[in-house]
Amino acid sequence: MSAPSVANAVTEFSNILERLHGSLRDEFCKKVEEIISETAQDEAKEEKILRCIAEKIRQHPNVPVSAVVNTETVIHPSVGEFSDLDPSTVVSLDNFLYEDDDAIDDLCEQGLISRNYCLDCGSHKTAPLNFISHSASLLQLKFVFQHALPDLRGKTLVDVGSRLGVVLYGAYYYSSAKAIIGVEINQQLCSIQNDMIKEFQLDDRVQVLCADVCTKRSLLEKGDVIVLHNVFEFFAAEEVQIKIWKFLREVLQTKGMLLVTVPSLAESLQHLQTDIDLDSWVRQIPLDYTDFVLPNEEDRDQLERICLYEVIG
C-alpha cells in the first residue's frame, strides 16, 4: 500500500541493469540521470511555491504571529499529552509558517515572541516555553505525500479541520489527487484559505467547505483519504471531541479508505470515553521513518508522529 523502500527500489534497479547489456545499459543509465535531474528540479519548484504560500499567509492581515485568528478559541487540553503543561507557558507557533530555528530567532529578535519565561519574576531563572503547532510542517507534508501514501491519481482527499489549508496545498503540489477538499468550521480561516487558492490558482483541484464536519457525512463516506492532523485537541471541549469521534467512527467505514493522523488514533482516543474499538475499525500500516532522507536528523521525531491506517470495517 505504501511506497517501496529504498532497498527494494535499489534491488529492482539492479535487476533491470542485469537484463540490459552494452549500449542499452548506457542508454538506460543516461535516461535515469535525466529523470532524476528533472524530478529534483520539479521538487525544488514545488517546495519554492509552498514557501511562497507560507510567506503570503504570514503577510495576510488576518493572520497573527501565532496563526490563531481572533475568531478562534484555543482550549487547553484537560486530558492527554499536553494537559500537564501550564497554559501560560504554551505558545502557538505554526510549523508551516515558521519551519526552522532561524525563523524563530528572527521573531525573537523582532520582539514578537520569546523562547523562555521567567520562573521567578525579575530573576534570571528561566525555562523554555512550549511551542505548539496546529499545522503540518513542510517536512511532514513531503513525507505523507511522497513516502507514506500510495499514488492518489483519481482519488479524493478530505482534510478535516483544514485551518490555514496547509495539507491542501501539500496535496496539490505533492500528489495527483483528483479532488482535495478541506472542511473547516471557522469562516475567517476559510476566507484565508480561499485567498490562497485564488492567488495560487489551485481551484482546479482544491476546494474549502465552511461547515461543521458532522454535517458532511456523504463527503466523508466518499473520501479515499481522510486527514486528521492535530484536529480537535486544542479547539474543542472534551464532550465535543467525543461526539465528533463517534461520528467519524460511524461514517468512516468504507473498506480500504486511508486515514492519516497526527497523533495516532490510540493517543487521540486514550483519554476520551468514546468506546471505540480500534481493532475492529482500522489496521495500522507500518511506516518506515528511517527510509526518508532528512536534512537534519533531529527532525525525525516530526515524522514519527504521523500514522497511517486502513479502514477494515
Side-chain angles (χ1 to χ4, degrees), residues 59-242:
Q59 295 173 351
H60 197 285
N62 292 329
V63 179
V65 172
S66 67
V68 176
V69 299
N70 58 19
T71 53
E72 282 187 294
T73 300
V74 173
I75 302 172
H76 189 78
S78 58
V79 295
E81 177 185 3
F82 302 106
S83 60
D84 291 337
L85 298 178
D86 181 346
S88 66
T89 69
V90 175
V91 176
S92 294
L93 195 66
D94 196 279
N95 281 343
F96 180 70
L97 303 187
Y98 306 99
E99 62 177 304
D100 55 33
D101 283 342
D102 289 341
I104 297 174
D105 287 341
D106 288 342
L107 294 176
C108 292
E109 289 174 7
Q110 296 173 52
L112 297 174
I113 65 168
S114 173
R115 284 185 178 274
N116 301 292
Y117 68 98
C118 182
L119 292 170
D120 299 313
C121 190
S123 78
H124 294 285
K125 187 180 179 183
T126 63
L129 288 163
N130 300 287
F131 292 119
I132 302 293
S133 175
H134 305 299
S135 293
S137 66
L138 184 57
L139 183 65
Q140 288 176 315
L141 293 174
K142 291 177 74 172
F143 180 80
V144 167
F145 293 110
Q146 296 184 340
H147 186 83
L149 288 171
D151 185 0
L152 299 184
R153 197 176 312 275
K155 305 296 186 181
T156 295
L157 178 143
V158 180
D159 182 24
V160 176
S162 53
R163 297 199 74 253
L164 297 172
V166 173
V167 169
L168 309 182
Y169 315 139
Y172 187 89
Y173 289 106
Y174 286 146
S175 85
S176 300
K178 177 182 68 174
I180 303 164
I181 304 170
V183 180
E184 173 55 53
I185 197 170
N186 183 284
Q187 178 63 59
Q188 196 172 15
L189 288 171
C190 290
S191 178
I192 293 167
Q193 291 176 83
N194 282 321
D195 287 345
M196 297 303 117
I197 291 168
K198 180 179 179 180
E199 179 158 354
F200 290 88
Q201 300 178 354
L202 311 180
D203 57 355
D204 57 322
R205 292 194 290 141
V206 179
Q207 179 186 9
V208 176
L209 304 178
C210 192
D212 182 334
V213 68
C214 292
T215 67
K216 294 300 173 183
R217 175 184 291 268
S218 61
L219 171 67
L220 293 171
E221 289 174 339
K222 295 174 183 176
D224 298 293
V225 178
I226 310 297
V227 179
L228 300 159
H229 186 283
N230 285 345
V231 68
F232 309 126
E233 189 173 14
F234 279 87
F235 299 99
E238 188 175 336
E239 62 273 15
V240 177
Q241 292 184 54
I242 292 171

